Amino acid sequence: MCLFVGGDASLPDRCAGIEFDAITPDEKGNTFFFKGAHLWKGFAGPAVLSNESFKELDDIHHIGHVDAAFRMHNKDNLDDHDHIYFFLDDKVFSYYNHTLEDGYPKGIQDDFPGVPTHLDAAVECPQGECMTDSVLFFKGNDVHVYDISTKAVKTKQWSHLPVCTAAFRWLEHYYCFHGNNFTRFHPVSGEVNGTYPKDARNYFMRCPNFGHGAGHKVPKCSETKLDAITTDDAGKTYLFSGPNYMRLDTRRDGLHGFQITRTWKEVTQGVDAVFSYDNKIYLIKGDQIYIYKGAAHYTLIEGYPKTLKEELGIEGTVDAAFVCPNEHIVHIIQDGNRMRDVDLTATPRVINRDVPLPISPIDAALCGADGINLFKGSEYYNYESAMILAMGRIRAIPKPVTSAMIGCED
């Protein structure tokens, strides 16, 4: 394979297999991959000179490369939140909107006391994924965990991990890059689960003769058909279609389809309906319901799956389901145009309202701040509330789904 792109011998080709110096997203969610004096923006496209995007790096320090980089997660301090930090030797550079902050570069110890110089990699770790809002700094087999609030540093040794030349947090997972490979690890324990290393060209860039996974492609909005959609208590919005799902709330850092079994490994045949309630997510397939505890990652509750009759007091298959924010009634759509309500606080759970709907059939449903959206093929119908939907006899005016709603291609 050719080492260069477009015949320009000055540009490296990441599809040839190279070792990155650093990887970081910016405040808009664009991911930058650094190698020497060049970078790549996003998961496709040729290399460009780094100083075309981060001009002062070269003008001030003539660095030619960076040792490490990360995007700060610190919502308690908006002066730092979403800023990009670059490290070279004993210096740190802070950027926002691709502009160097006043007073930079500084010594690493000035901004991050206790963190060593000449780093190999760095990655942010928000509270909930780490114990507190933190940054993981890598040097050799040592990992220096920096608490953003207290500025305390705790050093761990993860000798089971390769030496990371770059580290990257993406969709709440953590990746150590080494050579042209990567290894996924747990940010608190460093534990590695699964078969690693894996070739980065199969996952983090679009390269000829490389690729992976479910073969998921973002559909055109006019061809969209959902199986289910839900927003959990943490604000994560999931769209399900066939064997795949997509996180919609991660739009800033890129939309990507994954197999459902990646997150909910026990759900192997797709889903008919999904809803969220009380920090749990309920996945329905056939007459079975799976309930997972919500956290940084989902865990199946012991004893599940159970039958719908046993858990919710209903029988038959489910077309769609939704729970509105701060409510405890799950609205279950069955038989094409019947909406059956079940009080999730009741014992035993039984149907306490059964009403016809003016629309049939329904593929998926979501309740949020803008009301209830019922999805049917590439269109949706909006109702202000569950009561209006239940009492209404006139079909709402259908509207086409859009990229802004569900991440499809307009």
Side-chain angles (χ1 to χ4, degrees), residues 314-339:
I314 64 171
E315 296 183 85
T317 58
V318 175
D319 301 323
F322 63 92
V323 176
C324 291
N326 303 313
E327 296 187 5
H328 53 81
I329 301 294
V330 57
H331 307 275
I332 299 168
I333 300 173
Q334 293 183 285
D335 303 330
N337 69 339
R338 305 296 303 186
M339 185 169 76

PDB file of all heavy atoms in Angstrom, residues 314-339:
ATOM      1  N   ILE A 314     -49.203  -7.594  30.810  1.00  0.00           N
ATOM      2  CA  ILE A 314     -49.750  -7.534  29.451  1.00  0.00           C
ATOM      3  C   ILE A 314     -49.346  -8.796  28.697  1.00  0.00           C
ATOM      4  O   ILE A 314     -48.383  -9.483  29.055  1.00  0.00           O
ATOM      5  CB  ILE A 314     -49.259  -6.289  28.688  1.00  0.00           C
ATOM      6  CG1 ILE A 314     -47.729  -6.341  28.491  1.00  0.00           C
ATOM      7  CG2 ILE A 314     -49.654  -5.008  29.411  1.00  0.00           C
ATOM      8  CD1 ILE A 314     -47.212  -5.259  27.571  1.00  0.00           C
ATOM      9  N   GLU A 315     -50.093  -9.077  27.641  1.00  0.00           N
ATOM     10  CA  GLU A 315     -49.787 -10.227  26.796  1.00  0.00           C
ATOM     11  C   GLU A 315     -49.717  -9.779  25.349  1.00  0.00           C
ATOM     12  O   GLU A 315     -50.256  -8.731  24.981  1.00  0.00           O
ATOM     13  CB  GLU A 315     -50.858 -11.304  26.974  1.00  0.00           C
ATOM     14  CG  GLU A 315     -50.919 -11.879  28.383  1.00  0.00           C
ATOM     15  CD  GLU A 315     -51.931 -13.002  28.512  1.00  0.00           C
ATOM     16  OE1 GLU A 315     -51.567 -14.159  28.203  1.00  0.00           O
ATOM     17  OE2 GLU A 315     -53.065 -12.710  28.912  1.00  0.00           O
ATOM     18  N   GLY A 316     -49.051 -10.593  24.524  1.00  0.00           N
ATOM     19  CA  GLY A 316     -48.917 -10.257  23.120  1.00  0.00           C
ATOM     20  C   GLY A 316     -47.672  -9.451  22.846  1.00  0.00           C
ATOM     21  O   GLY A 316     -46.914  -9.084  23.752  1.00  0.00           O
ATOM     22  N   THR A 317     -47.432  -9.170  21.585  1.00  0.00           N
ATOM     23  CA  THR A 317     -46.257  -8.399  21.195  1.00  0.00           C
ATOM     24  C   THR A 317     -46.504  -6.907  21.350  1.00  0.00           C
ATOM     25  O   THR A 317     -47.656  -6.457  21.445  1.00  0.00           O
ATOM     26  CB  THR A 317     -45.861  -8.708  19.737  1.00  0.00           C
ATOM     27  OG1 THR A 317     -46.968  -8.410  18.879  1.00  0.00           O
ATOM     28  CG2 THR A 317     -45.476 -10.181  19.588  1.00  0.00           C
ATOM     29  N   VAL A 318     -45.438  -6.158  21.371  1.00  0.00           N
ATOM     30  CA  VAL A 318     -45.499  -4.706  21.599  1.00  0.00           C
ATOM     31  C   VAL A 318     -44.956  -3.987  20.370  1.00  0.00           C
ATOM     32  O   VAL A 318     -43.903  -4.351  19.834  1.00  0.00           O
ATOM     33  CB  VAL A 318     -44.692  -4.325  22.858  1.00  0.00           C
ATOM     34  CG1 VAL A 318     -44.644  -2.812  23.025  1.00  0.00           C
ATOM     35  CG2 VAL A 318     -45.279  -4.993  24.088  1.00  0.00           C
ATOM     36  N   ASP A 319     -45.681  -2.968  19.920  1.00  0.00           N
ATOM     37  CA  ASP A 319     -45.235  -2.169  18.778  1.00  0.00           C
ATOM     38  C   ASP A 319     -44.304  -1.037  19.196  1.00  0.00           C
ATOM     39  O   ASP A 319     -43.327  -0.733  18.523  1.00  0.00           O
ATOM     40  CB  ASP A 319     -46.443  -1.573  18.046  1.00  0.00           C
ATOM     41  CG  ASP A 319     -47.399  -2.636  17.529  1.00  0.00           C
ATOM     42  OD1 ASP A 319     -46.917  -3.698  17.091  1.00  0.00           O
ATOM     43  OD2 ASP A 319     -48.624  -2.411  17.578  1.00  0.00           O
ATOM     44  N   ALA A 320     -44.634  -0.398  20.316  1.00  0.00           N
ATOM     45  CA  ALA A 320     -43.843   0.739  20.806  1.00  0.00           C
ATOM     46  C   ALA A 320     -44.207   0.968  22.263  1.00  0.00           C
ATOM     47  O   ALA A 320     -45.239   0.490  22.747  1.00  0.00           O
ATOM     48  CB  ALA A 320     -44.120   2.002  19.986  1.00  0.00           C
ATOM     49  N   ALA A 321     -43.350   1.706  22.977  1.00  0.00           N
ATOM     50  CA  ALA A 321     -43.604   2.026  24.379  1.00  0.00           C
ATOM     51  C   ALA A 321     -42.867   3.299  24.744  1.00  0.00           C
ATOM     52  O   ALA A 321     -41.801   3.586  24.182  1.00  0.00           O
ATOM     53  CB  ALA A 321     -43.176   0.873  25.286  1.00  0.00           C
ATOM     54  N   PHE A 322     -43.434   4.049  25.695  1.00  0.00           N
ATOM     55  CA  PHE A 322     -42.741   5.258  26.146  1.00  0.00           C
ATOM     56  C   PHE A 322     -43.208   5.626  27.548  1.00  0.00           C
ATOM     57  O   PHE A 322     -44.325   5.313  27.965  1.00  0.00           O
ATOM     58  CB  PHE A 322     -42.975   6.430  25.182  1.00  0.00           C
ATOM     59  CG  PHE A 322     -44.406   6.881  25.061  1.00  0.00           C
ATOM     60  CD1 PHE A 322     -44.908   7.890  25.880  1.00  0.00           C
ATOM     61  CD2 PHE A 322     -45.263   6.312  24.125  1.00  0.00           C
ATOM     62  CE1 PHE A 322     -46.221   8.326  25.768  1.00  0.00           C
ATOM     63  CE2 PHE A 322     -46.579   6.735  24.013  1.00  0.00           C
ATOM     64  CZ  PHE A 322     -47.063   7.744  24.830  1.00  0.00           C
ATOM     65  N   VAL A 323     -42.315   6.294  28.281  1.00  0.00           N
ATOM     66  CA  VAL A 323     -42.612   6.899  29.573  1.00  0.00           C
ATOM     67  C   VAL A 323     -42.226   8.371  29.473  1.00  0.00           C
ATOM     68  O   VAL A 323     -41.116   8.690  29.026  1.00  0.00           O
ATOM     69  CB  VAL A 323     -41.833   6.221  30.711  1.00  0.00           C
ATOM     70  CG1 VAL A 323     -42.090   6.947  32.041  1.00  0.00           C
ATOM     71  CG2 VAL A 323     -42.218   4.752  30.827  1.00  0.00           C
ATOM     72  N   CYS A 324     -43.107   9.260  29.873  1.00  0.00           N
ATOM     73  CA  CYS A 324     -42.781  10.687  29.817  1.00  0.00           C
ATOM     74  C   CYS A 324     -41.913  11.072  31.018  1.00  0.00           C
ATOM     75  O   CYS A 324     -41.983  10.450  32.078  1.00  0.00           O
ATOM     76  CB  CYS A 324     -44.063  11.514  29.813  1.00  0.00           C
ATOM     77  SG  CYS A 324     -44.999  11.339  28.263  1.00  0.00           S
ATOM     78  N   PRO A 325     -41.079  12.092  30.879  1.00  0.00           N
ATOM     79  CA  PRO A 325     -40.178  12.504  31.963  1.00  0.00           C
ATOM     80  C   PRO A 325     -40.945  12.789  33.250  1.00  0.00           C
ATOM     81  O   PRO A 325     -42.017  13.399  33.243  1.00  0.00           O
ATOM     82  CB  PRO A 325     -39.512  13.769  31.403  1.00  0.00           C
ATOM     83  CG  PRO A 325     -39.587  13.612  29.923  1.00  0.00           C
ATOM     84  CD  PRO A 325     -40.879  12.901  29.653  1.00  0.00           C
ATOM     85  N   ASN A 326     -40.385  12.303  34.366  1.00  0.00           N
ATOM     86  CA  ASN A 326     -40.927  12.537  35.704  1.00  0.00           C
ATOM     87  C   ASN A 326     -42.313  11.921  35.911  1.00  0.00           C
ATOM     88  O   ASN A 326     -43.053  12.331  36.816  1.00  0.00           O
ATOM     89  CB  ASN A 326     -40.978  14.043  36.007  1.00  0.00           C
ATOM     90  CG  ASN A 326     -39.621  14.694  35.885  1.00  0.00           C
ATOM     91  OD1 ASN A 326     -38.632  14.191  36.397  1.00  0.00           O
ATOM     92  ND2 ASN A 326     -39.565  15.822  35.180  1.00  0.00           N
ATOM     93  N   GLU A 327     -42.670  10.945  35.092  1.00  0.00           N
ATOM     94  CA  GLU A 327     -43.928  10.231  35.267  1.00  0.00           C
ATOM     95  C   GLU A 327     -43.648   8.751  35.493  1.00  0.00           C
ATOM     96  O   GLU A 327     -42.513   8.285  35.317  1.00  0.00           O
ATOM     97  CB  GLU A 327     -44.844  10.437  34.059  1.00  0.00           C
ATOM     98  CG  GLU A 327     -45.274  11.893  33.890  1.00  0.00           C
ATOM     99  CD  GLU A 327     -46.324  12.072  32.805  1.00  0.00           C
ATOM    100  OE1 GLU A 327     -46.793  11.042  32.251  1.00  0.00           O
ATOM    101  OE2 GLU A 327     -46.666  13.225  32.494  1.00  0.00           O
ATOM    102  N   HIS A 328     -44.665   8.003  35.911  1.00  0.00           N
ATOM    103  CA  HIS A 328     -44.454   6.597  36.231  1.00  0.00           C
ATOM    104  C   HIS A 328     -45.434   5.683  35.491  1.00  0.00           C
ATOM    105  O   HIS A 328     -45.637   4.543  35.881  1.00  0.00           O
ATOM    106  CB  HIS A 328     -44.558   6.370  37.746  1.00  0.00           C
ATOM    107  CG  HIS A 328     -45.819   6.904  38.356  1.00  0.00           C
ATOM    108  ND1 HIS A 328     -47.014   6.212  38.314  1.00  0.00           N
ATOM    109  CD2 HIS A 328     -46.067   8.068  38.996  1.00  0.00           C
ATOM    110  CE1 HIS A 328     -47.948   6.925  38.923  1.00  0.00           C
ATOM    111  NE2 HIS A 328     -47.404   8.061  39.346  1.00  0.00           N
ATOM    112  N   ILE A 329     -46.055   6.204  34.425  1.00  0.00           N
ATOM    113  CA  ILE A 329     -46.943   5.400  33.588  1.00  0.00           C
ATOM    114  C   ILE A 329     -46.205   5.035  32.308  1.00  0.00           C
ATOM    115  O   ILE A 329     -45.682   5.916  31.615  1.00  0.00           O
ATOM    116  CB  ILE A 329     -48.225   6.163  33.227  1.00  0.00           C
ATOM    117  CG1 ILE A 329     -48.982   6.573  34.494  1.00  0.00           C
ATOM    118  CG2 ILE A 329     -49.101   5.323  32.300  1.00  0.00           C
ATOM    119  CD1 ILE A 329     -49.521   5.417  35.293  1.00  0.00           C
ATOM    120  N   VAL A 330     -46.141   3.744  32.000  1.00  0.00           N
ATOM    121  CA  VAL A 330     -45.617   3.341  30.703  1.00  0.00           C
ATOM    122  C   VAL A 330     -46.813   3.162  29.769  1.00  0.00           C
ATOM    123  O   VAL A 330     -47.796   2.494  30.096  1.00  0.00           O
ATOM    124  CB  VAL A 330     -44.776   2.048  30.786  1.00  0.00           C
ATOM    125  CG1 VAL A 330     -45.527   0.872  31.375  1.00  0.00           C
ATOM    126  CG2 VAL A 330     -44.237   1.696  29.395  1.00  0.00           C
ATOM    127  N   HIS A 331     -46.718   3.814  28.629  1.00  0.00           N
ATOM    128  CA  HIS A 331     -47.760   3.752  27.600  1.00  0.00           C
ATOM    129  C   HIS A 331     -47.303   2.730  26.562  1.00  0.00           C
ATOM    130  O   HIS A 331     -46.289   2.937  25.881  1.00  0.00           O
ATOM    131  CB  HIS A 331     -47.975   5.125  26.978  1.00  0.00           C
ATOM    132  CG  HIS A 331     -48.241   6.210  27.982  1.00  0.00           C
ATOM    133  ND1 HIS A 331     -49.492   6.467  28.484  1.00  0.00           N
ATOM    134  CD2 HIS A 331     -47.391   7.085  28.593  1.00  0.00           C
ATOM    135  CE1 HIS A 331     -49.431   7.468  29.357  1.00  0.00           C
ATOM    136  NE2 HIS A 331     -48.159   7.864  29.434  1.00  0.00           N
ATOM    137  N   ILE A 332     -48.041   1.654  26.450  1.00  0.00           N
ATOM    138  CA  ILE A 332     -47.652   0.538  25.602  1.00  0.00           C
ATOM    139  C   ILE A 332     -48.593   0.468  24.403  1.00  0.00           C
ATOM    140  O   ILE A 332     -49.823   0.406  24.575  1.00  0.00           O
ATOM    141  CB  ILE A 332     -47.689  -0.786  26.392  1.00  0.00           C
ATOM    142  CG1 ILE A 332     -46.705  -0.720  27.561  1.00  0.00           C
ATOM    143  CG2 ILE A 332     -47.367  -1.972  25.484  1.00  0.00           C
ATOM    144  CD1 ILE A 332     -46.874  -1.834  28.553  1.00  0.00           C
ATOM    145  N   ILE A 333     -48.026   0.515  23.202  1.00  0.00           N
ATOM    146  CA  ILE A 333     -48.831   0.458  21.985  1.00  0.00           C
ATOM    147  C   ILE A 333     -48.776  -0.958  21.432  1.00  0.00           C
ATOM    148  O   ILE A 333     -47.694  -1.502  21.186  1.00  0.00           O
ATOM    149  CB  ILE A 333     -48.315   1.485  20.957  1.00  0.00           C
ATOM    150  CG1 ILE A 333     -48.413   2.901  21.559  1.00  0.00           C
ATOM    151  CG2 ILE A 333     -49.112   1.384  19.653  1.00  0.00           C
ATOM    152  CD1 ILE A 333     -47.775   3.982  20.719  1.00  0.00           C
ATOM    153  N   GLN A 334     -49.954  -1.549  21.267  1.00  0.00           N
ATOM    154  CA  GLN A 334     -50.090  -2.919  20.797  1.00  0.00           C
ATOM    155  C   GLN A 334     -51.190  -3.006  19.740  1.00  0.00           C
ATOM    156  O   GLN A 334     -52.017  -2.088  19.609  1.00  0.00           O
ATOM    157  CB  GLN A 334     -50.447  -3.866  21.958  1.00  0.00           C
ATOM    158  CG  GLN A 334     -49.364  -4.042  23.008  1.00  0.00           C
ATOM    159  CD  GLN A 334     -49.782  -5.050  24.063  1.00  0.00           C
ATOM    160  OE1 GLN A 334     -50.607  -4.737  24.917  1.00  0.00           O
ATOM    161  NE2 GLN A 334     -49.230  -6.258  23.981  1.00  0.00           N
ATOM    162  N   ASP A 335     -51.195  -4.109  19.019  1.00  0.00           N
ATOM    163  CA  ASP A 335     -52.272  -4.422  18.065  1.00  0.00           C
ATOM    164  C   ASP A 335     -52.489  -3.310  17.052  1.00  0.00           C
ATOM    165  O   ASP A 335     -53.613  -3.066  16.591  1.00  0.00           O
ATOM    166  CB  ASP A 335     -53.580  -4.689  18.818  1.00  0.00           C
ATOM    167  CG  ASP A 335     -53.435  -5.804  19.844  1.00  0.00           C
ATOM    168  OD1 ASP A 335     -52.604  -6.705  19.620  1.00  0.00           O
ATOM    169  OD2 ASP A 335     -54.148  -5.756  20.870  1.00  0.00           O
ATOM    170  N   GLY A 336     -51.417  -2.606  16.726  1.00  0.00           N
ATOM    171  CA  GLY A 336     -51.508  -1.574  15.700  1.00  0.00           C
ATOM    172  C   GLY A 336     -51.960  -0.232  16.213  1.00  0.00           C
ATOM    173  O   GLY A 336     -51.305   0.779  16.000  1.00  0.00           O
ATOM    174  N   ASN A 337     -53.106  -0.193  16.917  1.00  0.00           N
ATOM    175  CA  ASN A 337     -53.650   1.120  17.299  1.00  0.00           C
ATOM    176  C   ASN A 337     -54.264   1.145  18.693  1.00  0.00           C
ATOM    177  O   ASN A 337     -55.169   1.928  18.975  1.00  0.00           O
ATOM    178  CB  ASN A 337     -54.698   1.566  16.281  1.00  0.00           C
ATOM    179  CG  ASN A 337     -55.960   0.714  16.340  1.00  0.00           C
ATOM    180  OD1 ASN A 337     -55.918  -0.413  16.836  1.00  0.00           O
ATOM    181  ND2 ASN A 337     -57.069   1.241  15.829  1.00  0.00           N
ATOM    182  N   ARG A 338     -53.766   0.292  19.613  1.00  0.00           N
ATOM    183  CA  ARG A 338     -54.243   0.332  20.988  1.00  0.00           C
ATOM    184  C   ARG A 338     -53.125   0.832  21.900  1.00  0.00           C
ATOM    185  O   ARG A 338     -51.983   0.362  21.817  1.00  0.00           O
ATOM    186  CB  ARG A 338     -54.681  -1.051  21.473  1.00  0.00           C
ATOM    187  CG  ARG A 338     -55.723  -1.740  20.629  1.00  0.00           C
ATOM    188  CD  ARG A 338     -57.043  -1.020  20.584  1.00  0.00           C
ATOM    189  NE  ARG A 338     -57.638  -0.807  21.911  1.00  0.00           N
ATOM    190  CZ  ARG A 338     -58.863  -0.300  22.065  1.00  0.00           C
ATOM    191  NH1 ARG A 338     -59.596   0.051  21.005  1.00  0.00           N
ATOM    192  NH2 ARG A 338     -59.351  -0.131  23.281  1.00  0.00           N
ATOM    193  N   MET A 339     -53.449   1.804  22.754  1.00  0.00           N
ATOM    194  CA  MET A 339     -52.486   2.268  23.750  1.00  0.00           C
ATOM    195  C   MET A 339     -52.972   1.825  25.122  1.00  0.00           C
ATOM    196  O   MET A 339     -54.073   2.189  25.570  1.00  0.00           O
ATOM    197  CB  MET A 339     -52.320   3.786  23.721  1.00  0.00           C
ATOM    198  CG  MET A 339     -51.221   4.272  24.688  1.00  0.00           C
ATOM    199  SD  MET A 339     -50.777   6.007  24.468  1.00  0.00           S
ATOM    200  CE  MET A 339     -52.190   6.817  25.250  1.00  0.00           C
TER     201      MET A 339
END
